Amino acid sequence: MAQIPALAAAVFLFCCACTGRGGNEPEAAFFSGTFTVGEGGSALFTDCISRIDMQVDTGGRYEELRRTYGEIAAEEGSEVRIEFYGSVTGDVDYSAGPPYYDMAAINGAVRQMRIDSLLKAEPAAGCLTDYLLPGLYRSNSGHGLKVLKIYPRYTFAVEEIGSGGQTTVSAGRWYRTSLLTVALEDKDTGKVSTFQIVPEKESLSRNDGHGPEVYTREWL
């Protein structure tokens, strides 16, 4: 898998999506991807969003996952599709700026995925494409235009263009709290906004009680 050389040595997480903060324990977030057991019993998880391969931590629900794999996999080495709550160890390196500052947190060569709660496992290869979020989204309101860029490695940036033409930019990490719910966490303020994923409308609809807001996907 291609890596940016300068950062490869360096993503819910995690990110993004799930990295510990200030040395605290990592927080669990929703993941989906494929799991396989290779030669020598090595267990590998491939994240559907970032396409990064990670070794699986032997703690948490690992033994349950291995038993399930043995029951449903066609043969040793074949893929199964899984959904779970889990976490990636490591702190986020913000020095590179989006969309790359999560590389230190999600790097298949040095990080491991911990399975905290196994939700689903099925004998199927590959990823479902209905809920793959990365892309460019726009939201128009009476206050101006917002452009949301969601990057595959669990970072995002928002450019807000006010009615008077003034522009503000914010960035942070994103992670899923369920299959159809995404959280955006501002890296400067720590504020978290949650949105419902609406696949049939290719949109994100705010659902955290802070007022209506809908981002619609743009295909370039």
Side-chain angles (χ1 to χ4, degrees):
M1 185 171 298
Q3 300 282 354
I4 300 173
L7 298 170
V11 11
F12 112 171
L13 56 154
F14 195 84
C15 153
C16 162
C18 289
T19 59
R21 305 178 205 173
N24 295 328
E25 284 297 313
E27 59 187 287
F30 178 90
F31 290 91
S32 62
T34 59
F35 175 79
T36 186
V37 177
E39 294 183 6
S42 61
L44 187 70
F45 169 71
T46 301
D47 178 45
C48 279
I49 299 291
S50 66
R51 308 304 305 171
I52 290 179
D53 298 328
M54 284 173 273
Q55 295 296 319
V56 179
D57 188 288
T58 56
R61 309 304 296 180
Y62 174 76
E63 292 300 330
E64 176 187 354
L65 176 58
R66 283 299 302 265
R67 287 195 301 271
T68 303
Y69 179 83
E71 294 169 358
I72 68 174
E75 60 184 1
E76 193 86 348
S78 62
E79 290 184 346
V80 299
R81 188 182 300 136
I82 60 174
E83 296 176 3
F84 61 94
Y85 284 102
S87 53
V88 179
T89 59
D91 292 322
V92 181
D93 176 9
Y94 289 112
S95 62
Y100 308 125
Y101 56 44
D102 62 311
M103 284 291 291
I106 305 182
N107 185 323
V110 298
R111 301 301 181 190
Q112 289 189 328
M113 174 64 75
R114 177 184 173 90
I115 311 295
D116 294 311
S117 177
L118 182 62
L119 303 176
K120 182 178 181 180
E122 57 185 354
C127 293
L128 297 173
T129 59
D130 295 350
Y131 314 118
L132 301 187
L133 288 168
L136 184 146
Y137 298 78
R138 295 183 188 272
S139 175
N140 289 286
S141 69
H143 303 290
L145 171 68
K146 285 185 178 181
V147 178
L148 168 64
K149 296 177 182 178
I150 295 183
Y151 299 108
R153 294 191 171 171
Y154 296 98
T155 61
F156 75 91
V158 176
E159 182 177 7
E160 186 171 358
I161 305 171
S163 56
Q166 69 277 17
T167 300
T168 58
V169 178
S170 59
R173 66 178 195 136
W174 67 268
Y175 54 95
R176 286 187 294 174
T177 58
S178 72
L179 182 64
L180 292 175
T181 307
V182 61
L184 308 180
E185 179 181 320
D186 189 289
K187 73 179 182 69
D188 294 321
T189 66
K191 179 182 178 181
V192 177
S193 301
T194 61
F195 292 81
Q196 188 74 21
I197 304 167
V198 188
E200 64 272 18
K201 295 184 179 180
E202 296 187 318
S203 65
L204 306 175
S205 179
R206 192 164 189 159
N207 65 352
D208 57 10
H210 293 289
E213 184 172 31
V214 176
Y215 282 100
T216 303
R217 186 165 192 159
E218 295 281 328
W219 293 97
L220 303 179

